Amino acid sequence: MRLKTVELVLEEKAWPMPPRHGDTAVVALQVAYTERALREKLKAAGARWDPVEKVWRVPFSSIQGTELEARVLKD
């Protein structure tokens, strides 16, 4: 007996990537001085300004799932 099979693709969507950072990791974010609303959100999340590197430092768990997560600088 000989069988011929076919694979059907019913739906295509982006595969969610696992978080690169652990919950306790402190990450760097770059936010322009003119973006006051984002700076206020960072402050509320416990972020600290790093004047040497000119970035905000915040625990990843504080911004995970928010629009700030997209601002995390790559290592």
Side-chain angles (χ1 to χ4, degrees):
M1 181 188 280
R2 181 175 171 194
L3 297 174
K4 186 179 271 189
T5 63
V6 175
E7 180 179 348
L8 297 176
V9 178
L10 300 177
E11 180 181 11
E12 181 179 337
K13 61 182 174 179
W15 186 266
M17 296 296 292
R20 285 185 330 136
H21 308 285
D23 289 344
T24 59
V26 175
V27 294
L29 284 80
Q30 194 162 27
V31 175
Y33 180 76
T34 57
E35 297 178 289
R36 281 202 163 124
L38 286 179
R39 289 190 351 230
E40 293 303 319
K41 286 182 181 181
L42 280 169
K43 290 177 188 177
R48 298 285 177 232
W49 174 247
D50 182 344
V52 175
E53 294 189 29
K54 298 189 181 345
V55 295
W56 288 90
R57 303 249 180 229
V58 63
F60 183 71
S61 60
S62 298
I63 61 165
Q64 190 172 13
T66 69
E67 76 267 22
L68 293 171
E69 187 176 352
R71 300 288 187 115
V72 174
L73 297 175
K74 308 297 183 225
D75 296 334

